[in-house]
Amino acid sequence: MPVRQRPNILISRCLIVAFSVTLLASPLVSQEPKQNPAKQTPSVFDGWDKNNDGFVTRSEFPTRLPQRNFSLADANKDGKISRKEDSDFRSRLKQQPKGWEGANLPKLPEGTVTFRNLIYEIVGDRELPLDLYIPKHDKPLPLVIWIHGGGWKSGSKNGINRCRKLLEHGYALASVEYRLSGEAIFPAAVEDCKAAVSFLRLNAKKYQLDPKRFGAWGSSAGGHLVAMLGTTSDGDDFDTHPVCKQASSSVQAVCNYFGPSDFLRMNDIPGKIDHDADDSPESLFLGGPIQ
């Protein structure tokens, strides 16, 4: 069987049907909300400032982020971002009303309530956000947690076109931002996704979610990450964020949409990428050549 392929329509439908049936039926004990503490580790700004001169230039600015953000943060337009400019820009983002980025989002069903940039954990001064979409409802909703793809090195939680139709069928939807390989190597992305699950379960009552019916769906690299959520649901090896100590990071259903499952066989399928190379997406994700 090929290691990485896009499923045909029949397989895709079967996955979604199985996913939905499992999610609607599975039980799990929830926990009551508690305070979500922050962790203190080295600054994200310091990680970007490669030459330690106190500024971030365009060449140092992460390519995974919108380049317009560089221009917005560079208040004095001198072609570099100071630590203060970075801090000021982050503060301005926090003050924006929910949904201000709406022009970049797909149209949602009428009556959908959107919570943008909910911070589910903090690593140093790196806030890890997720977006939560709640359709019209009269009882706690099952939740689908969307994990975006992008080779673990790019992508955005804004890309919900594939899964937004779930809102029309009575599911709440969460889309998660996690640390990419340019910021932190394995298992950071897995740990972040598990923290997002715990945060959502911790706040299930607040957002009228059913904590016994949490499922995860992801494509490509996101498919790999949701598979990791599923296969680690019975253990706590990746529950390293404080929020995971307050609520379960387990999910009741997983839909791995064409995510890789065997990194050592990625080159079985011919393509433009040499997956065994030092700079392949898989090698960057793991922090070393996969072979």
Side-chain angles (χ1 to χ4, degrees), residues 13 134 240 254 272:
R13 289 176 177 172
I134 309 291
T240 58
V254 161
K272 297 180 179 179

Side-chain angles (χ1 to χ4, degrees), residues 145-163:
I145 300 164
W146 172 254
I147 310 296
H148 69 79
W152 307 277
K153 63 179 182 178
S154 62
S156 166
K157 62 183 173 62
N158 292 350
I160 62 168
N161 277 314
R162 189 186 302 280
C163 56

Side-chain angles (χ1 to χ4, degrees), residues 28-104:
L28 185 73
V29 177
S30 66
Q31 299 185 30
E32 291 300 316
K34 299 177 185 177
Q35 185 177 0
N36 179 23
K39 293 192 290 187
Q40 295 300 320
T41 58
S43 161
V44 171
F45 183 89
D46 292 333
W48 294 350
D49 182 14
K50 302 299 184 184
N51 60 2
N52 298 315
D53 65 349
F55 296 93
V56 173
T57 63
R58 278 198 180 274
S59 63
E60 293 172 319
F61 192 72
T63 56
R64 65 178 181 82
L65 298 177
Q67 292 305 298
R68 67 186 180 122
N69 284 7
F70 183 94
S71 300
L72 292 172
D74 181 16
N76 62 4
K77 305 305 177 186
D78 63 352
K80 56 188 178 182
I81 301 172
S82 68
R83 188 181 299 275
K84 185 177 186 305
E85 286 176 326
D86 176 71
S87 177
D88 290 346
F89 178 62
R90 291 174 188 272
S91 296
R92 292 198 300 274
L93 286 181
K94 291 179 184 178
Q95 295 168 6
Q96 297 287 351
K98 290 182 175 66
W100 70 280
E101 308 95 327
N104 299 322

Side-chain angles (χ1 to χ4, degrees), residues 30-261:
S30 66
Q31 299 185 30
E32 291 300 316
K34 299 177 185 177
Q35 185 177 0
N36 179 23
K39 293 192 290 187
Q40 295 300 320
T41 58
S43 161
V44 171
F45 183 89
D46 292 333
W48 294 350
D49 182 14
K50 302 299 184 184
N51 60 2
N52 298 315
D53 65 349
F55 296 93
V56 173
T57 63
R58 278 198 180 274
S59 63
E60 293 172 319
F61 192 72
T63 56
R64 65 178 181 82
L65 298 177
Q67 292 305 298
R68 67 186 180 122
N69 284 7
F70 183 94
S71 300
L72 292 172
D74 181 16
N76 62 4
K77 305 305 177 186
D78 63 352
K80 56 188 178 182
I81 301 172
S82 68
R83 188 181 299 275
K84 185 177 186 305
E85 286 176 326
D86 176 71
S87 177
D88 290 346
F89 178 62
R90 291 174 188 272
S91 296
R92 292 198 300 274
L93 286 181
K94 291 179 184 178
Q95 295 168 6
Q96 297 287 351
K98 290 182 175 66
W100 70 280
E101 308 95 327
N104 299 322
L105 296 174
K107 185 176 180 180
L108 303 174
E110 184 178 353
T112 299
V113 177
T114 302
F115 299 91
R116 293 277 286 163
N117 296 316
L118 297 175
I119 305 303
Y120 66 85
E121 191 56 281
I122 301 175
V123 180
D125 64 357
R126 169 64 154 105
E127 296 179 336
L128 297 172
L130 60 82
D131 297 336
L132 182 61
Y133 306 89
I134 309 291
K136 286 183 178 179
H137 64 287
D138 55 10
K139 60 183 178 181
L141 296 171
L143 172 70
V144 175
I145 300 164
W146 172 254
I147 310 296
H148 69 79
W152 307 277
K153 63 179 182 178
S154 62
S156 166
K157 62 183 173 62
N158 292 350
I160 62 168
N161 277 314
R162 189 186 302 280
C163 56
R164 65 188 174 90
K165 286 277 186 181
L166 289 168
L167 296 168
E168 300 175 7
H169 298 282
Y171 292 91
L173 177 65
S175 185
V176 175
E177 178 177 314
Y178 52 91
R179 284 174 292 170
L180 301 171
S181 59
E183 283 187 85
I185 61 174
F186 176 88
V190 179
E191 294 168 339
D192 293 351
C193 291
K194 291 181 77 70
V197 176
S198 292
F199 170 86
L200 289 162
R201 183 165 281 114
L202 197 60
N203 292 279
K205 185 175 181 180
K206 177 179 180 179
Y207 296 109
Q208 296 184 291
L209 306 173
D210 185 345
K212 300 178 182 179
R213 295 186 291 171
F214 276 22
W217 183 16
S219 63
S220 191
H224 166 264
L225 292 174
V226 301
M228 289 294 294
L229 288 179
T231 56
T232 62
S233 275
D234 58 352
D236 60 2
D237 290 347
F238 296 94
D239 290 339
T240 58
H241 288 297
V243 69
C244 294
K245 309 303 180 185
Q246 303 175 62
S248 171
S249 64
S250 296
V251 292
Q252 286 68 61
V254 161
C255 179
N256 174 357
Y257 198 64
F258 64 93
S261 59

